[in-house]
Amino acid sequence: MSGSGNRGLSRGTLIRQRAQARFVGRRAQVALFTENLAKDPQSEEDPAEFLFHVRGVGGVGKSTLLRQ
């Protein structure tokens, strides 16, 4: 049976894993978010940004990007 290595995982976990595997592109944006979240917001030299503006027409993947 295909996927037999996934025994014991819930359907919800499998759905999330498959959705993440299909996420392609946007590496620069994900890296920017990750880098910013690792910063100290109170740093005087290189503080974290408090606001990110994500925009685009409906269906381009804004919500999916933010979930990543």
Side-chain angles (χ1 to χ4, degrees), residues 9-64:
L9 298 178
S10 69
R11 287 181 188 244
T13 300
L14 290 171
I15 289 168
R16 283 189 292 280
Q17 286 177 349
R18 290 176 185 166
Q20 286 176 341
R22 289 192 322 234
F23 184 78
V24 295
R26 305 290 189 205
R27 286 188 184 131
Q29 289 84 1
V30 172
L32 181 63
F33 293 152
T34 303
E35 179 183 319
N36 188 64
L37 291 172
K39 291 181 180 181
D40 177 6
Q42 296 181 339
S43 169
E44 296 206 12
E45 296 86 37
D46 190 20
E49 298 293 330
F50 281 95
L51 178 67
F52 276 89
H53 184 88
V54 179
R55 64 183 178 146
V57 297
V60 298
K62 297 177 298 292
S63 296
T64 301

